[in-house]
Amino acid sequence: MPKDRKIGIAMDFSESSKNALKWAFENLADKGDTFYIIHTLSTSDVDSHNSAWLESGSPLIPLVEFREPEIMEKYGVKIDIPVLDMLDTGSRQKEVHVVTKIYWGDAREALVDAVEDLKLDSIVMGSRGLSALRRIIMGSVSSFVIQHAPCPVTVVKDNDSH
């Protein structure tokens, strides 16, 4: 029986976010689920045709469109072939829908906004394994999301941080 869950994946194309995506496909994905790939960009990256979406984020972008270089370029997202391949393969094998939504602004706040806007059942994100001092100075995106998101948050540690 399909679960039809809405699962967010925080994606900044770092190794830790790629590990989180891989973990989500291996451990959470079930037929009928929807994976929302949530990518945040700095407000300085907003150009004139994206400024209308500054507050609400981009429209939902289906995976088939997100693969297109001109779509990626339109939103200012760099192409990452391994991530696109993982999304293609995972969506086919696990029979999940994949859509992307791009937000502009502070990643911590944007991810919490995404959880609320998209009514996500859970969100999965990577952990960069910041030292205690860097976490105090910079703040941890995952800590902020854990504290403020109204849904379960799964933080996937990097393989080398065990």
Side-chain angles (χ1 to χ4, degrees):
M1 178 172 175
K3 295 183 182 178
D4 298 330
R5 297 172 300 175
K6 297 166 100 176
I7 301 168
I9 312 292
M11 176 55 63
D12 64 3
F13 301 101
S14 65
E15 283 306 310
S16 61
S17 68
K18 292 175 188 180
N19 288 338
L21 177 61
K22 182 179 179 200
W23 185 90
F25 272 121
E26 291 174 353
N27 296 283
L28 287 180
D30 204 359
K31 182 179 181 178
D33 289 344
T34 300
F35 273 21
Y36 290 84
I37 307 304
I38 304 163
H39 183 62
T40 61
L41 294 168
S42 165
T43 52
S44 64
D45 295 332
V46 177
D47 58 25
S48 59
H49 65 274
N50 289 335
S51 62
W53 300 315
L54 192 56
E55 292 297 316
S56 62
S58 72
L60 292 176
I61 307 164
L63 180 57
V64 66
E65 290 179 27
F66 194 63
R67 283 198 70 85
E68 299 299 321
E70 53 274 0
I71 298 293
M72 302 276 275
E73 186 177 314
K74 173 181 174 183
Y75 292 106
V77 177
K78 292 179 177 56
I79 295 173
D80 189 307
I81 299 299
V83 168
L84 293 173
D85 289 346
M86 195 182 322
L87 291 169
D88 276 338
T89 302
S91 66
R92 272 194 323 273
Q93 289 178 350
K94 298 288 186 163
E95 298 183 53
V96 300
H97 307 286
V98 175
V99 292
T100 298
K101 185 155 176 99
I102 300 166
Y103 289 87
W104 287 267
D106 179 83
R108 297 171 296 185
E109 294 173 6
L111 289 169
V112 172
D113 288 347
V115 168
E116 294 168 351
D117 294 346
L118 300 169
K119 297 176 178 33
L120 298 178
D121 296 308
S122 67
I123 186 166
V124 179
M125 54 195 314
S127 171
R128 297 216 176 160
L130 297 178
S131 68
L133 179 60
R134 288 190 68 195
R135 213 173 17 256
I136 290 167
I137 294 169
M138 296 171 37
S140 165
V141 173
S142 56
S143 293
F144 185 91
V145 174
I146 288 168
Q147 291 174 6
H148 295 93
C151 71
V153 178
T154 302
V155 179
V156 179
K157 288 187 172 188
D158 285 341
N159 294 332
D160 60 353
S161 64
H162 296 283

